[in-house]
Amino acid sequence: SPNVKPQLGDQYSLGYYRNFKENRYEFSAEVYYKQLRNQIDYKSGADLNVNPNIESELLYGQGRAYGIELFFKKKYGRFTGWVGYTLSRTERQVDGINNDNWYPTRYDRTHDVSLVGMYDLSKRWTVSAIWVYNTGNAVTYPAGKYEMAGSTYYYYSDRNAARMPAYHRLD
């Protein structure tokens, strides 16, 4: 709409990439920093149900994301695979939320790990396994509740101050 500015971002990164042992292995590392502007978030206690003026429930601020990504891959042989690891943070600062302090975004994941292995049993049969692990998403839980005039009201702690359980899976 004409009232909502577009979200903008600038990303800076520096990386290193190398093949070694006659191109059988690959390694890469990258550090990055992303600066975000006009980030949109809801006011605390925003009324979103059948609200014809939803823009009145929005606040605007800045964001940042930064981290390091590491990757190692074995490309040839009966056993191949790779491991990837990311250590990162994604945060926002919006006037009117968390006393104007930085807070993690909903999709902030401190750790992200992927392990992939493949083994050729024969020319026709291959077995593989994949394991992934992610830090749980940031979440805002109620810190308390009270009743007044027959209605229940909830009090919330700081925005995204808690974490869902970590996620991992083996296929």
Side-chain angles (χ1 to χ4, degrees):
S1 84
N3 301 323
V4 178
K5 295 179 183 177
Q7 298 183 77
L8 303 171
D10 295 309
Q11 181 168 323
Y12 309 94
S13 63
L14 179 65
Y16 173 80
Y17 175 85
R18 181 168 180 204
N19 281 326
F20 53 96
K21 296 277 187 184
E22 298 176 356
N23 207 29
R24 291 163 72 192
Y25 300 97
E26 174 183 316
F27 173 78
S28 65
E30 181 178 4
V31 294
Y32 66 93
Y33 180 82
K34 185 184 292 189
Q35 181 181 12
L36 305 163
R37 294 178 301 286
N38 303 331
Q39 295 298 288
I40 300 171
D41 211 336
Y42 292 109
K43 293 178 181 177
S44 295
D47 181 14
L48 305 177
N49 295 326
V50 194
N51 185 343
N53 191 13
I54 196 78
E55 291 174 2
S56 68
E57 302 294 337
L58 302 177
L59 294 173
Y60 305 91
Q62 61 183 332
R64 62 186 177 198
Y66 52 93
I68 183 169
E69 297 177 350
L70 303 170
F71 182 77
F72 178 80
K73 181 177 185 180
K74 182 176 185 285
K75 297 161 71 171
Y76 302 106
R78 285 186 80 179
F79 177 75
T80 58
W82 64 86
V83 58
Y85 174 70
T86 302
L87 174 64
S88 65
R89 295 287 303 180
T90 305
E91 303 169 313
R92 278 196 187 140
Q93 187 277 318
V94 177
D95 290 343
I97 298 176
N98 281 7
N99 298 316
D100 303 340
N101 294 316
W102 288 92
Y103 60 94
T105 67
R106 184 182 187 306
Y107 300 104
D108 176 62
R109 290 197 179 121
T110 309
H111 303 283
D112 189 326
V113 180
S114 298
L115 295 170
V116 176
M118 295 165 280
Y119 186 76
D120 292 332
L121 295 172
S122 69
K123 290 185 179 191
R124 293 181 171 227
W125 289 92
T126 300
V127 294
S128 63
I130 301 170
W131 180 71
V132 294
Y133 170 89
N134 297 308
T135 302
N137 286 347
V139 65
T140 306
Y141 288 129
K145 72 177 183 176
Y146 60 93
E147 292 187 26
M148 189 165 67
S151 296
T152 301
Y153 299 92
Y154 291 91
Y155 168 77
Y156 291 89
S157 62
D158 287 342
R159 182 78 52 101
N160 295 340
R163 292 272 173 189
M164 296 293 288
Y167 171 83
H168 64 96
R169 176 183 88 233
L170 175 65
D171 294 332

